[in-house]
Amino acid sequence: MSDTHGLTLLSTLHEDGRLTVELAEETLPAPKGDEVLVRVEAAPINPSDLGLLFAAADLANADYAEGRIVARMSDPARRALVGRVGQPMTIGNEAAGTVMAAGEAPEAQALLGKRVAMIGGGMFAEYRLLGAAGCMALPDDVTAEQGASAFVNPLTALGFVETMTREGHKAIVHTAAASNLGQMLVRICQEDGIPLVNIVRNEAQVAILQDMGAEYVLDSSQEDFVARLQDAVAATGATIAFDAIGGGHLVSQILNAMEQVVSKNAPYSRYGSDILKQAYIYGALDMSPTILTRSFGFGWNIGGWLLFSFLQKASTETAERLRQRVRDGLTTTFASHYKARISLKEALSRDAVLTYSARRTGEKYLIVPNG
Amino acid sequence: MSDTHGLTLLSTLHEDGRLTVELAEETLPAPKGDEVLVRVEAAPINPSDLGLLFAAADLANADYAEGRIVARMSDPARRALVGRVGQPMTIGNEAAGTVMAAGEAPEAQALLGKRVAMIGGGMFAEYRLLGAAGCMALPDDVTAEQGASAFVNPLTALGFVETMTREGHKAIVHTAAASNLGQMLVRICQEDGIPLVNIVRNEAQVAILQDMGAEYVLDSSQEDFVARLQDAVAATGATIAFDAIGGGHLVSQILNAMEQVVSKNAPYSRYGSDILKQAYIYGALDMSPTILTRSFGFGWNIGGWLLFSFLQKASTETAERLRQRVRDGLTTTFASHYKARISLKEALSRDAVLTYSARRTGEKYLIVPNG
């Protein structure tokens, strides 16, 4: 088999503060060993892709040409990203497509001609060469579009539940809960009988989750939010939270609500309750500082949560069990919804960029590189 | 043996927002079983005692009578402390004194007539009845004053080093580092060969620690603090911090310095370095919010650290090893320094209260209840 040529999307931060995002021609060699060559058919633009794609560049005032964006970065933002200056970065955590060629290893050969979901970066491209371990064969009745988001959101939602169980909690608080990921978590918790407190930011999002049968759905824009949060934490016994937002007071409000609940029937202690209150920040929808008003004693913990770190620590058995559950539920529990399907070129148009970079719930885009 | 009568210090928060701190007569029965009755001879006023003693009461405008203070609390502060309203709280985490009577159990009898260090609360009193397990017999050449601070600071400082080792770090960042506790940590790290980055708040404190031979001493009030912090973190490889302050930007600055260092020679990742950067907040010298400017990726963790929780989780062997090390070093490694010795009554005088409640480094008071 000869080399394959295709377009790939590259993001480069330059020394002078310019960020260039463009389509570039690449040449992929024939796969060797356990490698496979996949024609990319559908790739979601996840919030986790946007940081690498655009960082903190000024997108409203950028130059948009066909297949090329040039934007400016502020000096502090550029300095914070000194590690990537001058390096063209490929983009796209996950996708689905068809295996066009395979190396000689049996695990690669087994995928030949199959439709697969993939994880591993660089998926915003026409073709992708990667190891068979980064692929999951899709069931015959699952389309590339249905399989495109088979890794990031499903494994993250399942990872939350695994983390909860492993760390001895029995109910979860989740923020930005109307997202595709949040909706998956609602369905998983319904299936598994796990109490879930959903925090959203407006009435429309409340309706989305209530229509799915979610029991606790709180609108953080309402005046009585803190009181209702405390009620929901009391009703569920939640002592662990997963937060996609990061900035502002929300994590602090959640930990304070938990502390109020767990200390209510305990003898007074100056140090607060010794029941651990845990929050994980897994996203950065709000890049402003996290503000912690520490009325929650000393029995608390806040950490970053990252899918790749979770999977690294998980046993092979756990990872395989989670993947199997995703494979079985791609059109049900783990179904994703997209606002629009766009080509690689369209992904660099001003209208599309300004829409999907706003990270608004319900406005996820799907790139169709060979559409 | 008949009952014993003595004074004890009580702090009571009332429903109407008044906080009363007063000396009250108490009657202690003869010790039974493993109990001992100790005449309290020296008790330090630790920062960890102040929260229970005064909470957030307005001490500058309080009424000071002999042996009695009446202060006001703001409504929000009172509401946050609803758990203690109406309950007279005894105060004082630790002390030293002489065992006057003992229950029939061998471990109690073994302490009869001995000078002991004690932990367990309620030590701001003339006498204290407690279980033998809360006592540590002092060597013959150690005075009550030398043994008064044998638990909280020494075990906290040793607990930091144990935590560092157990969690796989190799160097420590410590804030408010010129405190009695901080000086102990300097000596422990010197003895054990552990690199330590000391952060203090003014030039005088820099001098104190440099005179002790501390290698890395940074003044956070200096303009080049952030750059120097990064240099010190790079030189030591510190990835764990213990912070006594809590409020403000310092924890965030430390984690960001660590992230800058560990990501410097690694390939660029949008998610930051996967090397865990850990901070523990063990005090609240600054009760204002903790502000986290999250430029430290997702491999981070911040939690509360509490001596009592640490000791609960430690094995009996570890706890005994640490106690033995303290006992051997009470007049050297674990020596404490006091600004003044005061009676229980003097501890309630306006001058003393306004001095020791300011929690200034080097201004620790020692209560001498039977002086």
Side-chain angles (χ1 to χ4, degrees):
Chain A
M1 189 197 148
S2 60
D3 289 349
T4 302
H5 303 278
L7 293 175
T8 188
L9 199 152
L10 296 177
S11 171
T12 312
L13 177 59
H14 304 279
E15 190 64 49
D16 62 4
R18 275 179 312 126
L19 179 85
T20 310
V21 181
E22 62 196 327
L23 292 175
E25 187 79 38
E26 64 171 345
T27 302
L28 300 96
K32 286 184 207 134
D34 69 348
E35 290 173 344
V36 294
L37 179 77
V38 183
R39 186 182 65 212
V40 181
E41 287 155 358
I45 304 178
N46 286 318
S48 53
D49 296 315
L50 293 174
L52 196 56
L53 183 55
F54 294 130
D58 180 1
L59 297 171
N61 299 302
D63 290 332
Y64 292 84
E66 180 155 304
R68 187 157 198 264
I69 304 173
V70 181
R72 305 280 325 168
M73 297 265 286
S74 72
D75 272 3
R78 183 188 52 76
R79 275 197 301 273
L81 297 169
V82 64
R84 59 171 287 190
V85 166
Q87 299 177 51
M89 318 290 291
T90 60
I91 314 285
N93 278 319
E94 63 182 341
T98 302
V99 177
M100 313 300 291
E104 62 281 9
E107 63 270 31
Q109 285 294 320
L111 294 173
L112 192 56
K114 290 257 168 66
R115 194 176 295 131
V116 294
M118 302 175 276
I119 190 158
M123 297 296 170
F124 295 173
E126 290 180 325
Y127 295 92
R128 180 72 167 84
L129 187 73
L130 79 168
C135 298
M136 175 171 84
L138 292 171
D140 288 342
D141 59 346
V142 170
T143 66
E145 179 172 329
Q146 288 170 329
S149 294
F151 284 97
V152 177
N153 280 342
L155 292 180
T156 299
L158 289 172
F160 291 170
V161 173
E162 289 291 317
T163 300
M164 178 203 78
T165 306
R166 197 171 58 194
E167 298 183 2
H169 305 274
K170 60 177 193 176
I172 293 173
V173 176
H174 186 224
T175 74
S179 64
N180 268 311
L181 167 59
Q183 295 183 27
M184 284 179 199
L185 189 60
V186 168
R187 290 188 289 260
I188 292 166
C189 288
Q190 284 171 339
E191 291 170 14
D192 294 2
I194 295 165
L196 175 66
V197 178
N198 299 280
I199 299 175
V200 298
R201 286 171 286 183
N202 58 52
E203 279 305 302
Q205 294 173 343
V206 171
I208 293 172
L209 295 188
Q210 283 180 340
D211 286 351
M212 294 176 66
E215 190 169 3
Y216 304 98
V217 189
L218 310 178
D219 177 355
S220 61
S221 72
Q222 295 292 307
E223 262 186 33
D224 63 350
F225 169 65
V226 168
R228 292 196 57 204
L229 176 59
Q230 210 171 302
D231 291 345
V233 166
T236 56
T239 48
I240 188 168
F242 293 91
D243 173 57
I245 298 170
H249 292 86
L250 190 53
V251 164
S252 187
Q253 289 173 322
I254 294 168
L255 291 178
N256 280 321
M258 290 174 176
E259 175 66 12
Q260 286 293 316
V261 170
V262 298
S263 63
K264 191 157 274 178
N265 296 312
Y268 176 76
S269 162
R270 144 85 180 128
Y271 304 109
S273 163
D274 58 1
I275 293 173
L276 182 70
K277 295 152 291 289
Q278 171 75 50
Y280 285 111
I281 296 178
Y282 73 92
L285 294 179
D286 178 351
M287 318 250 248
S288 74
T290 313
I291 315 289
L292 305 177
T293 305
R294 306 179 320 285
S295 305
F296 38 71
F298 286 86
W300 60 276
N301 198 60
I302 305 176
W305 195 97
L306 200 59
L307 176 60
F308 300 105
S309 305
F310 165 78
L311 290 175
Q312 260 172 11
K313 276 180 258 168
S315 66
T316 315
E317 270 171 302
T318 301
E320 185 43 46
R321 174 169 51 81
L322 301 186
R323 274 190 180 210
Q324 186 57 51
R325 184 165 174 181
V326 174
R327 205 182 284 126
D328 293 344
L330 277 174
T331 60
T332 53
T333 310
F334 303 105
S336 287
H337 305 283
Y338 304 98
K339 179 189 170 79
R341 284 135 202 88
I342 53 177
S343 68
L344 279 167
K345 248 182 214 158
E346 286 163 346
L348 298 187
S349 71
R350 190 171 196 275
D351 279 0
V353 166
L354 293 183
T355 306
Y356 67 72
S357 68
R359 305 164 193 227
R360 282 187 291 262
T361 297
E363 302 205 342
K364 180 171 278 203
Y365 277 58
L366 187 71
I367 296 180
V368 184
N370 288 284
Chain B
M1 188 198 150
S2 59
D3 290 349
T4 301
H5 302 278
L7 292 174
T8 188
L9 200 152
L10 296 178
S11 171
T12 312
L13 177 59
H14 304 279
E15 188 65 48
D16 62 4
R18 276 178 310 127
L19 179 85
T20 309
V21 181
E22 63 196 326
L23 292 175
E25 187 79 36
E26 65 170 344
T27 302
L28 300 96
K32 285 184 209 131
D34 71 346
E35 290 173 345
V36 294
L37 179 76
V38 183
R39 186 182 64 213
V40 181
E41 288 156 358
I45 304 179
N46 286 317
S48 54
D49 297 314
L50 293 174
L52 196 55
L53 183 54
F54 295 130
D58 180 0
L59 296 170
N61 299 301
D63 290 331
Y64 292 84
E66 180 155 305
R68 187 158 198 266
I69 304 172
V70 181
R72 305 282 324 169
M73 296 265 285
S74 71
D75 273 2
R78 183 187 51 78
R79 275 197 300 276
L81 297 169
V82 64
R84 58 170 288 189
V85 167
Q87 300 177 52
M89 319 290 292
T90 60
I91 313 286
N93 276 320
E94 65 181 341
T98 302
V99 176
M100 312 301 291
E104 64 280 9
E107 63 269 33
Q109 285 294 320
L111 295 173
L112 193 56
K114 291 256 169 67
R115 195 175 295 130
V116 294
M118 301 175 277
I119 189 157
M123 297 297 170
F124 296 172
E126 290 179 327
Y127 295 92
R128 181 74 165 83
L129 188 73
L130 79 167
C135 298
M136 176 170 85
L138 293 171
D140 288 342
D141 60 346
V142 170
T143 65
E145 179 171 329
Q146 288 170 328
S149 294
F151 284 98
V152 176
N153 280 343
L155 292 180
T156 299
L158 290 172
F160 292 171
V161 173
E162 289 291 318
T163 301
M164 177 204 78
T165 306
R166 198 172 58 195
E167 299 183 1
H169 305 274
K170 60 177 194 178
I172 293 174
V173 176
H174 187 223
T175 74
S179 64
N180 268 310
L181 168 59
Q183 296 182 28
M184 285 180 200
L185 189 60
V186 167
R187 290 188 289 260
I188 292 166
C189 288
Q190 284 171 339
E191 291 171 15
D192 295 2
I194 295 165
L196 174 67
V197 179
N198 299 279
I199 299 176
V200 298
R201 285 170 287 183
N202 58 53
E203 279 304 303
Q205 295 173 342
V206 171
I208 293 172
L209 296 188
Q210 283 179 340
D211 287 350
M212 295 176 64
E215 190 170 3
Y216 304 98
V217 189
L218 310 179
D219 178 354
S220 61
S221 72
Q222 295 293 307
E223 260 186 37
D224 62 349
F225 169 65
V226 167
R228 292 196 55 207
L229 176 59
Q230 209 171 303
D231 291 345
V233 166
T236 56
T239 47
I240 188 168
F242 293 90
D243 172 57
I245 297 170
H249 292 85
L250 190 52
V251 165
S252 186
Q253 287 172 324
I254 294 168
L255 292 178
N256 281 322
M258 291 174 177
E259 175 67 13
Q260 286 292 317
V261 170
V262 297
S263 64
K264 191 157 273 175
N265 296 312
Y268 176 75
S269 162
R270 142 86 180 128
Y271 304 109
S273 163
D274 58 2
I275 293 173
L276 182 69
K277 296 152 290 289
Q278 172 75 51
Y280 284 110
I281 297 179
Y282 73 92
L285 294 179
D286 178 350
M287 316 251 248
S288 73
T290 314
I291 314 289
L292 305 176
T293 304
R294 308 180 317 285
S295 304
F296 37 72
F298 285 85
W300 60 277
N301 198 61
I302 305 175
W305 195 97
L306 200 58
L307 176 59
F308 301 104
S309 305
F310 165 77
L311 290 175
Q312 262 172 13
K313 275 180 258 166
S315 67
T316 315
E317 269 171 302
T318 301
E320 187 41 47
R321 172 168 52 80
L322 301 187
R323 275 190 181 210
Q324 186 58 51
R325 184 164 175 184
V326 174
R327 206 183 284 127
D328 293 344
L330 277 174
T331 59
T332 52
T333 310
F334 302 105
S336 286
H337 305 283
Y338 305 98
K339 178 190 171 77
R341 284 135 202 87
I342 53 177
S343 68
L344 279 168
K345 249 181 215 157
E346 287 163 346
L348 300 187
S349 71
R350 189 169 197 278
D351 279 0
V353 166
L354 294 184
T355 306
Y356 67 72
S357 69
R359 305 163 192 228
R360 283 186 289 263
T361 297
E363 302 205 343
K364 179 171 282 205
Y365 277 58
L366 187 71
I367 296 180
V368 185
N370 288 282

